[in-house]
Amino acid sequence: MTGGLLNVLKPPGMTSHDVVSFIRKTYGMKRVGHGGTLDPGAAGVLPVALGQATRLIEYITAADKSYRVELTFGYETDTGDDTGKVIHTADYDMPAPEQLQDVLQSFTGINRQIPPMHSAIKVNGKKLYELARIGISIDRPAREIEISRITLLKVFPTGILFDVTCSKGTYIRSLCRDLGTKLGCPAVMSFLVRTRVGKFLLSDALTVEELALKPELLLADPFLCLPKVSLSHDKAQAFTYGKSIFCEELCETLYGVYDEQKSFLGIGKKSACASVLIPVKVLSCQGKTLL
């Protein structure tokens, strides 16, 4: 096996790096990477690429993501979730459902968000959480994010449960903090499940236990995050040699490219003239697919 993709259900208590280490040992492969870090206490979808498929990670991490979130009012921590040190508490009156709906909806669209200190963002070669662990806090520039949908699911005496769909780079812990600020009471993220990364769905994800028993369970369709284009034998061979291909009715910017046998060949992009497919990442050579 030279490569493939896995839709892993990361359990709470396991870091994303732990999952990668587990996959390396299970599959006997060194070249393994994941498509978007999940907090150690969070669970949910973690796409993992093996071998040649690691060249596709940038397209997986760029996809939008969906989460189910529990927010708890009344206190704030240094990490933004319920695993951190409590730095502020306050009494509060539970906002009315109508107010909660209005505030949640106010975060839809393009926003600017300050990443938490306890994050893996690097500043001058140091990860922010490494600085936070030794008591150093630095100013972080706000970053542009987009939240396309927020849905209030349930109101508890101590907090709320909601779903959110957002762009790459959105920190749900920071969103919970900002929601609390806007409602006038401290808040933390007390539970998080990632339900989707692009077209990788929670309902299709495999536990580490399932993968340990049946490591052959790679995705039948190796690339789910882009629209597909299928090429004839001659065009597929030309694509694998890096040649641009004439294709009618190209509407999207990027495509997952397949041959007539539905073997994945790589990534192509639409040219300016809209009828030519240009190879971007080719994962096949001389008709031999690498996935």
Side-chain angles (χ1 to χ4, degrees):
M1 181 181 67
T2 56
L5 292 171
L6 293 169
N7 182 0
V8 181
L9 174 54
K10 189 193 88 65
M14 213 175 175
T15 68
S16 300
H17 181 71
D18 289 339
V19 173
V20 168
S21 297
F22 167 81
I23 296 299
R24 285 193 179 116
K25 293 176 183 177
T26 301
Y27 288 83
M29 299 183 72
K30 291 184 178 180
R31 195 175 177 188
V32 178
H34 64 75
T37 302
L38 264 177
D39 290 342
V45 172
L46 183 69
V48 176
L50 295 78
Q52 290 286 336
T54 55
R55 296 175 61 198
L56 305 175
I57 286 178
E58 63 183 280
Y59 300 101
I60 299 172
T61 56
D64 65 344
K65 301 166 177 66
S66 297
Y67 299 88
R68 179 152 294 181
V69 190
E70 182 186 75
L71 176 151
T72 298
F73 293 116
Y75 70 103
E76 187 177 340
T77 68
D78 58 351
T79 60
D81 62 14
D82 62 352
T83 68
K85 179 183 177 182
V86 176
I87 57 176
H88 177 56
T89 62
D91 294 329
Y92 66 95
D93 294 322
M94 176 60 70
E98 295 78 12
Q99 183 184 6
L100 289 169
Q101 289 276 18
D102 289 343
V103 171
L104 283 169
Q105 295 310 311
S106 72
F107 282 88
T108 57
I110 295 175
N111 299 278
R112 297 191 66 79
Q113 184 186 74
I114 298 175
M117 271 303 301
H118 288 263
S119 66
I121 295 173
K122 285 188 176 181
V123 176
N124 297 325
K126 284 282 189 179
K127 293 180 179 178
L128 288 179
Y129 71 76
E130 294 174 339
L131 298 175
R133 285 174 181 172
I134 58 176
I136 297 175
S137 180
I138 63 173
D139 291 333
R140 289 93 65 200
R143 305 195 306 176
E144 187 174 281
I145 63 165
E146 183 173 6
I147 295 175
S148 55
R149 184 172 60 191
I150 298 184
T151 304
L152 180 64
L153 300 176
K154 194 169 184 178
V155 179
F156 304 104
T158 57
I160 60 174
L161 187 71
F162 65 94
D163 284 345
V164 58
T165 296
C166 54
S167 65
K168 170 189 174 183
T170 303
Y171 282 90
I172 305 302
R173 287 175 287 150
S174 294
L175 174 61
C176 290
R177 175 201 63 202
D178 295 343
L179 281 165
T181 298
K182 205 160 189 177
L183 287 163
C185 56
V188 298
M189 182 188 78
S190 48
F191 183 73
L192 181 70
V193 175
R194 185 155 68 192
T195 57
R196 184 181 63 86
V197 175
K199 293 185 179 179
F200 292 83
L201 305 179
L202 182 63
S203 57
D204 300 325
L206 300 168
T207 67
V208 292
E209 291 83 4
E210 288 174 317
L211 292 172
L213 291 172
K214 294 184 177 181
E216 69 274 12
L217 291 174
L218 289 173
L219 287 178
D221 186 345
F223 202 70
L224 300 172
C225 295
L226 295 175
K228 300 177 184 179
V229 61
S230 181
L231 302 179
S232 66
H233 174 75
D234 291 343
K235 288 185 176 182
Q237 189 172 48
F239 181 88
T240 63
Y241 284 111
K243 295 181 180 179
S244 297
I245 306 298
F246 176 79
C247 292
E248 295 181 355
E249 298 180 358
L250 293 176
C251 301
E252 305 296 332
T253 302
L254 290 174
Y255 286 86
V257 183
Y258 298 77
D259 64 15
E260 292 175 323
Q261 285 72 46
K262 299 183 180 180
S263 295
F264 180 68
L265 304 178
I267 305 295
K269 71 175 180 180
K270 180 183 69 174
S271 72
C273 69
S275 59
V276 175
L277 186 70
I278 303 171
V280 176
K281 291 278 178 80
V282 176
L283 301 186
S284 178
C285 183
Q286 297 182 351
K288 181 181 179 181
T289 185
L290 296 179
L291 283 180

